[in-house]
Amino acid sequence: MRAELHTHSTFSDGELIPAELVRTAKTLGASVIAITDHVDMTNVEHVVKNVIRAVELTDDSIKVIPGVEITHVPPSKMDKVIADARRFGAEWIVVHGETVVEPVECGTNMQAAKNPDVDVLAHPGFITEDEMQFAKDNDVLIEITGRKGHNITNGYVVNLARRFGARMVINSDAHAPEDLMSEKDAYTVALGAGLSKDEADLAIQKTPFDAIKHL
């Protein structure tokens, strides 16, 4: 069993409505799924209040966590959007990091890493040593992503996270049904990024479940 902690539905740019997303993840062996649609200051209330309703899809075999991915928000305004997301009921906060395939504003990684209310810094690209240290100190999980394009820097991210002792998780960042990962797929991403088998076990089997145990 595994946890899918970064996914998108039709409430942003995903292809599946929440029920379809949850069902597809379940058939691939997920026991937890966080629905983390893209938000900024203009849509955070709308998205969170609707994604919360997907919690009704929780059953004995899968837990649904309502979340957001803070996306392309200027760093100076990020803390407020994060606080608003929490206030509206988001239980899982992902920040869209400085991937090399999108023009994410410089400073995004640092702002996310400094905020202990952030759960995951997604696809952080060429994250710096200082940013990684803040992420480690604030227990912001570092994403090793299965998403094409964003995954170009996975090896770099793994090496730096290992040096600083930051906790890593394997996420699909699914936008379409074929993006969702089985456990086997998650291990392929982890080992392909340079994680050892023991490190992959932590990133897939232990760290994500430890991170959500309070939810």
Side-chain angles (χ1 to χ4, degrees):
M1 305 299 284
R2 61 178 299 273
E4 279 278 6
L5 297 179
H6 181 182
T7 70
H8 300 277
S9 77
T10 51
F11 283 116
S12 59
D13 59 347
E15 295 183 6
L16 302 178
I17 63 172
E20 294 173 309
L21 182 60
V22 172
R23 176 61 189 165
T24 305
K26 187 190 298 188
T27 64
L28 289 170
S31 60
V32 177
I33 183 170
I35 302 177
T36 55
D37 280 300
H38 296 286
V39 300
D40 61 12
M41 59 284 293
T42 68
N43 70 338
V44 60
E45 181 175 9
H46 170 76
V47 169
V48 173
K49 288 189 174 181
N50 281 283
V51 169
I52 282 173
R53 301 179 68 181
V55 174
E56 295 177 30
L57 296 165
T58 293
D59 60 25
D60 290 341
S61 60
I62 193 164
K63 177 182 177 64
V64 179
I65 299 172
V68 294
E69 181 179 10
I70 312 294
T71 303
H72 287 281
V73 171
S76 64
K77 301 182 184 302
M78 190 183 301
D79 286 349
K80 184 178 186 305
V81 178
I82 291 167
D84 286 344
R86 290 287 191 197
R87 179 164 56 87
F88 294 133
E91 296 181 359
W92 192 250
I93 305 289
V94 176
V95 170
H96 187 290
E98 294 178 39
T99 172
V100 296
V101 295
E102 290 183 29
V104 181
E105 186 171 341
C106 183
T108 295
N109 283 351
M110 180 62 83
Q111 197 66 30
K114 284 183 172 181
N115 190 327
D117 269 341
V118 173
D119 295 297
V120 177
L121 177 54
H123 41 69
F126 289 115
I127 183 171
T128 68
E129 293 185 354
D130 287 345
E131 291 160 356
M132 190 65 80
Q133 184 65 64
F134 275 113
K136 193 263 185 184
D137 291 345
N138 289 308
D139 203 22
V140 176
L141 304 180
I142 299 298
E143 178 180 274
I144 309 304
T145 181
R147 187 156 179 79
K148 184 178 179 180
H150 294 323
N151 61 7
I152 292 172
T153 55
N154 273 352
Y156 169 86
V157 174
V158 164
N159 285 331
L160 201 59
R162 180 187 290 132
R163 277 179 54 200
F164 282 83
R167 296 201 299 167
M168 293 176 274
V169 290
I170 312 301
N171 284 330
S172 69
D173 189 4
H175 288 67
E178 61 268 22
D179 297 334
L180 290 162
M181 298 191 299
S182 66
E183 184 180 278
K184 180 180 178 182
D185 295 331
Y187 273 98
T188 297
V189 170
L191 298 175
L195 290 171
S196 68
K197 178 59 166 59
D198 287 345
E199 290 171 329
D201 287 343
L202 279 175
I204 295 168
Q205 301 290 342
K206 187 174 189 305
T207 299
F209 292 97
D210 284 349
I212 63 170
K213 64 186 178 183
H214 65 287
L215 300 179

